[in-house]
Amino acid sequence: MAGALAGSLVGPRTAEAVAREMIELQRDVTTLLQGQKDLTSQITQEHTGMRTIVDQTNSSIGKLEGTMGSLQKSVQDVQANSGARLDTMSTQVQGLSDNLEEIKSRLGKLNQQLVDLQNSIQNIDAKLAGGTSAPASGAATPTASTSSPGPGPGAPSADTLYSNGLRDITSGKYDLARSEFQDYLKFYGDTDLASNAQFYLGEISYKQKQYDDAVASYDRVLTNYPKSFKLAPARLRKGMALIELGQKTAAVRELREVVRRYPGTEEDRQARAKLKELGVAVSATR
């Protein structure tokens, strides 16, 4: 009886406590679920924001890669064409320089002809004033024939051959330019521009990778035309051709000669740069 009474007194209190704990547990679970829901919502929002940033970044990277690809292609195109363009520009500059020298030479000849004409007129005036008749026109013919004979009626003029040669070498018509410069040397080998024609024959051979012929042509400039203004470029280009032939010792000797003979020139600068590239001193050590 006592045990039953005690059990009846304790039982309700235990059930009430359990019920209260269950309520508190449900409330905690509800709070936890709400917190989880809020956290999930926040994570979803942050994930969406990060996805947007990632997408924007990927888009920017794609555009940047496209731009870099276009820039790289442009650089490659420039590098591929720069050599040919510089080569063409160098030839054109040489042609302009040759034309300038030709004009100077012609002006000098015209001045000399004017002086000779003035002297002739003064002689004629003196003879007329002294009562001496002027020489007959037939007597003047032998004097005119003392100049070197022309190339013949069918040959082009010196100006035509030289100008056509410069034009064709500039445009890459090397075989045609070679023929024209060879004809120039054949018909006008004693003119002021003959050394230029010989130099360009060397350039044509160099461009066509016929380096032995190029060396021979440059040597003719150095040997046959000691007063030519093509001496410096001829010696420089001879050195370059020797490098292509694998004759490094001979090439270094020619490049050092350029530095020694023509200081301060463009050829001097190029020779020094090439010697540095070859890993040798500018001047020979003793």
Side-chain angles (χ1 to χ4, degrees):
M1 292 291 289
L5 180 59
S8 62
L9 291 174
V10 175
R13 292 180 180 176
T14 303
E16 182 180 356
V18 170
R20 186 167 54 252
E21 290 177 357
M22 289 295 294
I23 292 172
E24 291 177 354
L25 181 61
Q26 289 177 353
R27 186 167 56 248
D28 292 341
V29 170
T30 301
T31 303
L32 181 61
L33 290 175
Q34 183 62 40
Q36 182 182 9
K37 182 179 179 181
D38 294 342
L39 180 60
T40 301
S41 176
Q42 182 179 359
I43 291 174
T44 301
Q45 292 176 357
E46 292 179 354
H47 177 73
T48 302
M50 290 296 295
R51 171 55 60 185
T52 302
I53 295 174
V54 169
D55 291 340
Q56 292 176 348
T57 303
N58 288 335
S59 177
S60 300
I61 292 174
K63 292 179 181 179
L64 180 59
E65 288 178 345
T67 303
M68 290 298 295
S70 300
L71 180 60
Q72 185 176 9
K73 185 177 184 302
S74 299
V75 171
Q76 290 174 347
D77 292 341
V78 170
Q79 290 176 342
N81 296 329
S82 61
R85 291 179 179 175
L86 288 174
D87 194 26
T88 300
M89 290 175 62
S90 176
T91 304
Q92 290 175 344
V93 169
Q94 288 181 346
L96 291 174
S97 176
D98 294 345
N99 290 335
L100 179 60
E101 293 297 326
E102 182 183 8
I103 292 173
K104 290 180 179 178
S105 175
R106 290 182 178 181
L107 286 175
K109 291 180 179 179
L110 286 175
N111 288 334
Q112 185 60 45
Q113 289 176 358
L114 288 174
V115 171
D116 293 342
L117 180 59
Q118 186 176 8
N119 291 336
S120 298
I121 293 175
Q122 290 176 351
N123 291 335
I124 292 174
D125 289 343
K127 291 179 180 180
L128 290 175
T132 306
S133 60
S137 58
T141 303
T143 303
S145 64
T146 57
S147 60
S148 58
S157 67
D159 290 343
T160 299
L161 280 174
Y162 191 83
S163 299
N164 289 348
L166 283 180
R167 180 199 63 209
D168 291 330
I169 192 176
T170 302
S171 59
K173 300 176 182 178
Y174 298 134
D175 292 334
L176 183 57
R178 176 186 285 110
S179 176
E180 288 160 341
F181 284 125
Q182 286 175 341
D183 285 344
Y184 188 93
L185 290 174
K186 176 181 177 181
F187 298 129
Y188 309 103
D190 57 348
T191 60
D192 295 333
L193 294 177
S195 63
N196 296 25
Q198 183 64 63
F199 174 80
Y200 285 123
L201 287 175
E203 291 291 271
I204 292 169
S205 296
Y206 190 97
K207 293 176 187 296
Q208 294 184 327
K209 302 184 185 302
Q210 300 169 357
Y211 299 115
D212 285 319
D213 293 339
V215 170
S217 292
Y218 296 137
D219 269 334
R220 291 189 187 97
V221 176
L222 299 172
T223 303
N224 299 338
Y225 306 97
K227 296 183 179 180
S228 171
F229 67 95
K230 286 294 185 184
L231 294 180
R235 193 171 293 276
L236 173 68
R237 299 295 285 174
K238 178 185 176 183
M240 297 297 189
L242 289 170
I243 291 174
E244 297 294 339
L245 290 171
Q247 301 178 24
K248 181 178 178 180
T249 302
V252 169
R253 182 170 57 250
E254 293 297 333
L255 294 176
R256 284 173 173 166
E257 278 296 298
V258 173
V259 174
R260 186 179 69 85
R261 292 171 179 261
Y262 313 105
T265 62
E266 175 63 19
E267 289 77 17
D268 171 34
R269 185 191 66 79
Q270 294 184 29
R272 289 176 181 271
K274 195 63 179 179
L275 288 170
K276 182 178 180 181
E277 180 182 331
L278 294 173
V280 298
V282 173
S283 58
T285 57
R286 297 182 180 179

